[in-house]
Amino acid sequence: MIIVLKPNADEQKYKKLEAFIKGDLGLDIHYSRGEKSTILGLVGDTSKVDIDAVSALDIVESVTRIQEPYKAANRKFHPMDSVITVGDVKIGGGHFAKIAGPCSVETPEQIIGIAKSVKASGAHMLRGGAFKPRTSPYAFQGLGKTGIDYLLEAKKETGLPIVTEIMELTDLDLFADVDVIQVGARNMQNFRLLKELGTTDKPILLKRGLANTVAELLMSAEYIMSGGNEKVILCERGIRTFETSTRNTLDLAVIPVLKEKTHLPVIIDPSHSTGHSRYVKSVSYGATAAGADGLIIEVHNDPENAWSDGQQSITPEAFDEISKGIDKFREVVISL
Ligand code: PEP
Ligand code: MN
């Protein structure tokens, strides 16, 4: 971090700032004194420096960050890919995870039936929403605790680890037997929730918000990781743009960008990013080719009558084709 002081900065205020940087923050200072102004180069871990507070000092002309404000998620401090283990499943560092299942858990027959078929097609984990963030308060809101019970039954029947979304901190106890807790796009910056999840030892599938930057996504991951939980899986699920032909706009470039900036696994959600089942296949292949560590795909046995997101849900037969195609496709991609 570089702090440029105003010309003729007040000596006493300057000494106070220097003492704060060295004493309170424990950083070293590299000085560059010009005729009119002084430049301070802060040496050390500056991720905890409050840039706004320093900028607000009247002796400070400007503050520039040269190091990212996230540390735990930063590849610079952790060059190797993180591999996250969920039961027998690994994700990241060359391990590819296919997560499949309905948008919402509806009935025991529905979730168990889908679990069995996606497992037979090569899925590694089962997804299903019990608590649903819906745009309309009149739309189906999810079965809540009952939905989690049905997911656990499906896990018992198939052995597939389960992924389901948390919306409220107060529901955390209900997630005791859930394998991966999803933080949905709408809660990506629910900082209280992120902090609390940082104190658990559950892998967290963190979705990028509808209008959030990569830097913001990484800062949200940092919230979880700084609490001690390093098991974060990042998920791109499309962002809001002016384009209306797809439900959201899939930012595929985020894969190499995130791979450069962080060691955390990155997965793609072709269902919410496109909003149409017919686009899921090509987007899944595209994400795989671009280096994703996995996919989370909505699969429903009867998409036309699904209780949520039927238009973007693929059938178990379509998942079978995509899943097998992805395996073959990966062999080619890896050999390149
Ligand atoms: C979901 O996974 O069903 C969901 C609601 O996702 P998102 O938060 O990406 O909209
Ligand atoms: Mn959905």
Side-chain angles (χ1 to χ4, degrees), residues 103 127 132-133 165 182 184-186 207 237 269 272 298 309:
C103 178
R127 66 146 287 151
K132 295 304 305 174
E165 177 168 351
Q182 174 173 318
R186 292 154 191 83
K207 287 190 154 195
R237 44 78 72 206
D269 177 340
H272 292 88
E298 286 188 340
D309 283 353

Side-chain angles (χ1 to χ4, degrees), residues 79-142:
M80 300 291 284
D81 285 343
S82 277
V83 179
I84 293 172
T85 306
V86 187
D88 296 335
V89 179
K90 285 187 168 35
I91 176 161
H95 302 276
F96 191 91
K98 291 176 277 188
I99 307 169
C103 178
S104 295
V105 179
E106 299 170 6
T107 63
E109 296 73 33
Q110 173 245 21
I111 191 70
I112 293 170
I114 296 173
K116 284 183 177 163
S117 47
V118 296
K119 184 179 177 178
S121 299
H124 301 98
M125 291 188 233
L126 175 69
R127 66 146 287 151
F131 295 94
K132 295 304 305 174
R134 305 305 301 281
T135 302
S136 166
Y138 308 116
F140 174 57
Q141 304 287 304

Side-chain angles (χ1 to χ4, degrees), residues 175-193:
F175 287 70
D177 298 320
V178 166
D179 299 282
V180 177
I181 303 180
Q182 174 173 318
V183 174
R186 292 154 191 83
N187 265 316
M188 191 203 89
Q189 287 191 314
N190 182 339
F191 300 120
R192 280 272 290 125
L193 181 62

Side-chain angles (χ1 to χ4, degrees), residues 56-87:
L57 298 174
D58 67 2
I59 56 165
V60 170
E61 177 82 46
S62 67
V63 185
T64 314
R65 231 184 226 296
I66 46 173
Q67 185 181 291
E68 300 84 357
Y70 48 92
K71 191 168 182 230
N74 200 327
R75 195 182 273 285
K76 275 188 199 146
F77 302 104
H78 189 302
M80 300 291 284
D81 285 343
S82 277
V83 179
I84 293 172
T85 306
V86 187

